[in-house]
């Protein structure tokens, strides 16, 4: 919601006997108007309880009053979602989304799901969701356009290739330099190819992971890079003729903070602190760890490429 525009009215006095009064009134109006147009703090003397009050369960200033609107892409891939249905609470991200909603005071019947393409979620511009989750990594460049919650999942990138490919025999990062690689556009997987692997050939870029999988099966690329749980699901359920070549270490470059997925919010959204508080509470009480074990535990044993 945006504050209504301030309208300034101009009053002109025609009577010569009212000149002084008019000037005085004009000065008062001008000072009032300037003060009204200047940015004002929301609570000049915020009491310690004010922040908690703004996060009152079920009372947030959401897109739709009384509802929590959550965005994600379609199709909604496993193991993050189940049966392409974010609303069912199954799959890691669906379960996390509903757990966050519950912490904020919104039950399943108060959650509205909205289709938001991956790149659109963190592109500049006003959002129509309260938060979005779609395996979107927190990064400084993305923070210029959107706000993030604290991280809800520590990410590892992985490489998959057809079992019959020479790429499947690679054991080190250096061995990937001669491999024709591919990844989804706008993803940190694509960043890892350019910044960490640094292949000799230009990587192929795909609008969706579905297209990358097709290119892998058709031999247009020798290997693709994506997050580890997705890699595990693809090789076990969708492209069984492929296998995980290996995973990269969590911070990929060995420096800086580990890569994490975060919930995406509108830039400077007033909900950010409330959503972050919910995520932090779920981490502290063990809920995130339990959901990760339930939905993503199978993806832990891939060899590490160094």
């Amino acid at each position: 919601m945006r504050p209504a525009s301030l309208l300034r009215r101009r009053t002109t006095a025609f009577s010569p006997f009212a000149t002084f009064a008019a000037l005085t009134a004009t000065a008062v109006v001008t000072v009032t108007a300037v003060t009204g147009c200047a940015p004002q703090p929301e609570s000049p003397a915020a009491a310690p309880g004010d922040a908690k009050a703004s996060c009152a369960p079920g009372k947030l200033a959401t897109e739709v009053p009384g509802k929590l609107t959550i965005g994600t892409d379609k199709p909604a891939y496993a193991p993050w979602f189940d049966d392409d249905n974010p609303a069912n609470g199954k799959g890691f991200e669906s379960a996390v989304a509903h757990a966050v909603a519950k912490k904020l005071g919104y039950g399943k019947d108060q959650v509205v799901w909205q289709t938001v393409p991956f790149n659109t979620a963190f592109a500049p511009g006003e959002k129509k969701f309260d938060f979005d989750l779609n395996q979107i990594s927190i990064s400084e460049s993305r923070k210029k356009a959107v706000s993030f919650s604290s991280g809800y999942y520590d990410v590892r990138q992985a490489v998959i290739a057809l079992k019959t490919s020479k790429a499947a025999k690679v054991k080190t990062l250096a061995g990937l330099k001669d491999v024709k690689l591919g990844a989804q556009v706008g993803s940190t997987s694509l960043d890892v190819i350019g910044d960490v692997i640094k292949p000799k050939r230009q990587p192929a870029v795909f609008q969706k992971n579905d297209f990358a999988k097709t290119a892998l099966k058709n031999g247009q690329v020798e290997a693709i890079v994506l997050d580890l749980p997705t890699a595990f699901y693809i090789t076990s359920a969708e492209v069984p003729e492929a296998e995980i070549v290996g995973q990269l270490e969590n911070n990929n470059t060995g420096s800086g903070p580990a890569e994490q997925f975060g919930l995406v919010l509108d830039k400077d959204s007033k909900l950010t602190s409330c959503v972050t508080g919910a995520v932090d509470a779920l981490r502290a009480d063990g809920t995130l760890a339990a959901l990760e074990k339930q939905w993503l535990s199978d993806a832990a044993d891939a060899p590490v490429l160094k």
Side-chain angles (χ1 to χ4, degrees):
M1 297 178 68
R2 298 288 187 271
S5 301
L6 295 174
L7 301 178
R8 182 181 302 172
R9 296 181 179 178
R10 180 177 297 169
T11 304
T12 304
F14 295 98
S15 170
F17 299 102
T19 302
F20 176 78
L23 288 173
T24 303
T26 301
V28 171
V29 171
T30 301
V31 170
T32 302
V34 170
T35 303
C37 291
Q40 300 297 310
E42 291 181 11
S43 52
D50 286 353
K52 291 183 179 179
S54 67
C55 296
K59 303 296 184 181
L60 277 63
T62 53
E63 283 288 323
V64 179
K67 301 284 186 180
L68 190 68
T69 304
I70 305 176
T72 198
D73 205 351
K74 189 173 182 63
Y77 299 106
W80 310 104
F81 300 92
D82 182 70
D83 199 27
D84 193 19
N85 180 13
N88 63 16
K90 298 178 181 180
F92 180 71
E93 287 195 328
S94 178
V96 168
H98 284 292
V100 170
K102 185 176 180 180
K103 283 288 184 185
L104 295 174
Y106 297 88
K108 276 190 176 182
D109 60 339
Q110 295 171 299
V111 173
V112 178
W113 286 90
Q114 182 184 93
T115 299
V116 181
F118 178 78
N119 285 330
T120 303
F122 52 85
E126 186 178 356
K127 308 305 178 189
K128 297 301 182 184
F129 51 74
D130 294 309
F131 68 77
D132 179 283
L133 76 172
N134 186 26
Q135 306 106 67
I136 299 174
S137 296
I138 301 168
S139 71
E140 292 305 314
S141 61
R142 289 173 179 171
K143 284 182 179 179
K144 295 175 182 177
V146 295
S147 291
F148 282 95
S149 71
S150 53
Y152 63 88
Y153 178 70
D154 298 337
V155 186
R156 284 178 180 255
Q157 298 292 330
V159 180
I160 69 173
L162 296 181
K163 296 174 182 177
T164 55
S165 167
K166 66 178 183 180
K169 299 177 175 60
V170 170
K171 304 297 182 185
T172 65
L173 281 177
L176 291 172
K177 291 187 181 296
D178 293 317
V179 174
K180 178 64 176 178
L181 297 166
Q184 183 175 348
V185 64
S187 66
T188 49
S189 302
L190 186 59
D191 293 338
V192 164
I193 293 176
D195 299 339
V196 180
I197 300 174
K198 300 178 181 178
K200 295 177 182 177
R201 286 185 280 176
Q202 190 74 14
V205 181
F206 303 97
Q207 190 66 33
K208 290 179 175 288
N209 278 333
D210 272 349
F211 302 153
K213 289 183 293 185
T214 300
L216 179 67
K217 290 191 286 187
N218 292 342
Q220 295 169 272
V221 293
E222 296 173 289
I224 58 176
V225 180
L226 23 67
D227 62 82
L228 182 58
T230 300
F232 179 84
Y233 181 78
I234 288 174
T235 55
S236 63
E238 297 185 322
V239 191
E241 61 269 33
E243 65 182 13
I244 297 176
V245 177
Q247 61 177 302
L248 281 70
E249 293 181 293
N250 193 356
N251 63 8
N252 301 321
T253 61
S255 61
E259 182 181 357
Q260 291 185 312
F261 290 156
L263 305 179
V264 180
L265 298 95
D266 206 352
K267 182 66 175 173
D268 299 324
S269 169
K270 293 180 181 179
L271 301 184
T272 303
S273 61
C274 300
V275 173
T276 289
V279 172
D280 290 345
L282 293 171
R283 186 177 291 279
D285 68 16
T287 299
L288 291 182
L291 293 177
E292 183 176 336
K293 183 177 181 180
Q294 179 181 359
W295 297 105
L296 306 179
S297 60
D298 290 336
D301 299 327
V304 178
L305 299 172
K306 296 183 178 180

